[in-house]
C-alpha cells in the first residue's frame, strides 16, 4: 500500500490526502449520533489543540521549505516567504469580508461579511469552510512540493502535514455538528452540515498540488501563502473562540500540546 501511494502522481496523492482530512472531519461530526452535548471545556481544549497543530504546520511544513526553495531558485531567501505569507493572510481577510459567516458561540447578529438572509446553520458551516480552504491548499502544495522537480520537502513531511490537519479536523467536525444539533436540527442534518464544511479540502488540495507541479517557480510563494492563510485562521478565529467561556489557560496549554505533536510528526516523518 505504501509503495502504491508513493508511485502515484503528486496531484493524486494530494487528492487522497484531502479525502483523508475530509473523512476525519466527517468522523468528528459523527459524534452527534452518540452524544447530546460536549462540555465547553472539552471543546475549547480541542480547538486549542487544533490551533497548535496549524501553527506548527505553518512553519515546519510550509514556511521552512519555502525558505529553502527560495534560495535554490535564486531568490533572496526571505522574499517569497514574506510575500506569500502576507498574500495568504490577505486572501483570507478578503474571503472574510466577501462571504457571510458566523463564528461558533456568537449570536446571529454578530455574523460577519455582507448582510444576508441565510439561516444560522448555513452561516456556521460557511465559517468552518473558510478554515478548510487554506488547510486543503496547504496539503496540496506540500505534496506538490515533495513530488515536483524542486523537491526540497520529503513525501514523509507532506504525509505528516496531512496527518496533522486530519487530527485537528476532528474537533472542527465536532464543533460544527454539535451546536447545530443543539439548535434543533436532526442528528443526520447536523452531521451532513458538519462534514460538508470540509468537502472543499480535496478540491483545494488538488488545486494547490497542480499549481506547484505545473508551475514550479511559484512553489515558495504557494507554500508561504498557505502558511499565511492558516495563521490568519488561527489568530482571527480559533484562538478567540477558545477565550469566550473563561477556558483561556486550558486552551493555551492544549495549543502548545498541539504544536508539539505536529512538530514531532513533521520531524519524525520527514527523515
Amino acid at each position: 500500500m505504501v509503495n502504491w501511494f508513493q508511485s502515484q502522481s503528486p496531484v493524486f496523492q494530494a487528492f487522497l490526502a484531502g479525502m483523508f482530512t475530509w473523512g476525519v472531519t466527517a468522523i468528528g461530526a459523527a459524534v452527534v449520533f452518540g452524544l447530546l452535548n460536549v462540555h465547553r471545556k472539552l471543546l475549547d481544549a480541542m480547538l486549542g489543540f487544533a490551533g497548535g497543530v496549524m501553527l506548527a504546520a505553518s512553519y515546519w511544513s510550509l514556511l521552512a521549505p519555502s525558505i529553502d526553495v527560495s534560495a535554490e531558485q535564486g531568490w533572496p531567501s526571505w522574499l517569497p516567504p514574506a510575500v506569500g505569507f502576507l498574500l495568504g493572510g490577505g486572501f483570507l481577510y478578503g474571503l472574510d469580508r466577501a462571504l457571510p459567516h458566523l463564528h461558533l458561540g456568537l449570536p446571529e447578529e454578530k455574523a460577519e461579511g455582507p448582510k444576508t438572509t441565510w439561516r444560522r446553520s448555513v452561516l456556521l458551516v460557511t465559517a468552518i469552510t473558510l478554515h478548510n480552504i487554506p488547510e486543503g491548499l496547504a496539503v496540496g502544495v506540500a505534496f506538490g512540493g515533495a513530488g515536483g522537480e524542486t523537491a526540497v520537502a520529503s513525501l514523509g513531511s507532506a504525509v505528516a502535514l496531512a496527518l496533522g490537519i486530519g487530527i485537528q479536523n476532528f474537533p472542527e467536525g465536532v464543533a460544527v455538528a454539535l451546536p447545530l444539533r443543539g439548535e434543533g436540527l436532526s442528528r443526520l442534518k447536523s452531521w451532513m452540515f458538519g462534514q460538508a464544511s470540509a468537502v472543499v479540502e480535496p478540491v483545494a488540495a488538488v488545486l494547490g498540488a497542480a499549481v506547484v507541479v505545473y508551475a514550479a517557480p511559484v512553489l515558495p510563494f504557494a507554500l508561504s501563502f498557505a502558511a499565511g492563510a492558516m495563521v490568519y485562521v488561527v489568530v482571527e478565529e480559533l484562538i478567540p473562540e477558545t477565550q469566550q467561556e473563561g477556558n483561556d489557560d486550558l486552551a493555551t496549554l492544549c495549543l502548545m500540546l498541539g504544536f508539539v505533536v505536529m512538530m514531532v510528526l513533521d520531524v519524525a516523518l520527514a527523515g
Side-chain angles (χ1 to χ4, degrees):
M1 185 66 176
V2 173
N3 290 336
W4 175 84
F5 183 78
Q6 292 175 334
S7 69
Q8 303 306 306
S9 72
V11 174
F12 188 61
Q13 289 173 344
F15 170 73
L16 294 176
M19 291 297 293
F20 164 74
T21 59
W22 163 78
V24 178
T25 306
I27 293 171
V31 169
V32 76
F33 291 112
L35 296 174
L36 291 176
N37 195 18
V38 169
H39 196 280
R40 180 68 200 203
K41 276 192 174 183
L42 177 58
L43 184 58
D44 286 343
M46 290 191 295
L47 290 174
F49 183 90
V53 168
M54 292 176 70
L55 286 178
S58 296
Y59 176 72
W60 270 277
S61 299
L62 299 169
L63 278 177
S66 174
I67 293 169
D68 293 339
V69 178
S70 298
E72 286 198 0
Q73 291 186 353
W75 292 95
S77 58
W78 55 268
L79 182 59
V83 172
F85 188 85
L86 293 176
L87 287 176
F91 174 71
L92 260 292
Y93 175 81
L95 285 183
D96 261 356
R97 295 297 174 269
L99 290 177
H101 62 284
L102 177 65
H103 296 308
L104 296 169
L106 296 179
E108 198 163 344
E109 56 268 20
K110 293 288 188 179
E112 299 179 11
K115 297 296 181 183
T116 181
T117 58
W118 292 359
R119 296 177 59 182
R120 177 181 173 85
S121 57
V122 177
L123 291 170
L124 287 169
V125 172
T126 303
I128 301 298
T129 302
L130 291 177
H131 283 182
N132 292 327
I133 293 173
E135 292 171 10
L137 284 173
V139 169
V141 298
F143 278 96
E149 294 180 4
T150 314
V152 296
S154 68
L155 181 60
S157 179
V159 169
L161 176 61
L163 286 174
I165 296 294
I167 290 170
Q168 67 92 39
N169 272 1
F170 181 86
E172 286 192 359
V174 175
V176 179
L178 287 181
L180 295 178
R181 174 60 178 162
E183 292 181 12
L185 272 69
S186 69
R187 295 180 190 274
L188 180 59
K189 284 186 176 180
S190 299
W191 177 79
M192 288 294 291
F193 276 118
Q195 61 83 29
S197 67
V199 169
V200 70
E201 289 200 13
V203 178
V206 168
L207 176 63
V211 166
V212 300
V213 167
Y214 299 111
V218 307
L219 177 57
F221 295 95
L223 288 165
S224 55
F225 180 96
M230 289 214 297
V231 169
Y232 183 93
V233 167
V234 173
V235 176
E236 194 269 344
E237 187 161 341
L238 282 183
I239 291 177
E241 281 174 12
T242 64
Q243 312 292 305
Q244 294 176 15
E245 302 292 331
N247 299 319
D248 310 37
D249 291 343
L250 174 64
T252 300
L253 290 172
C254 289
L255 184 145
M256 295 180 70
L257 177 62
F259 189 98
V260 170
V261 168
M262 183 63 221
M263 177 183 67
V264 170
L265 276 175
D266 193 278
V267 174
L269 293 179

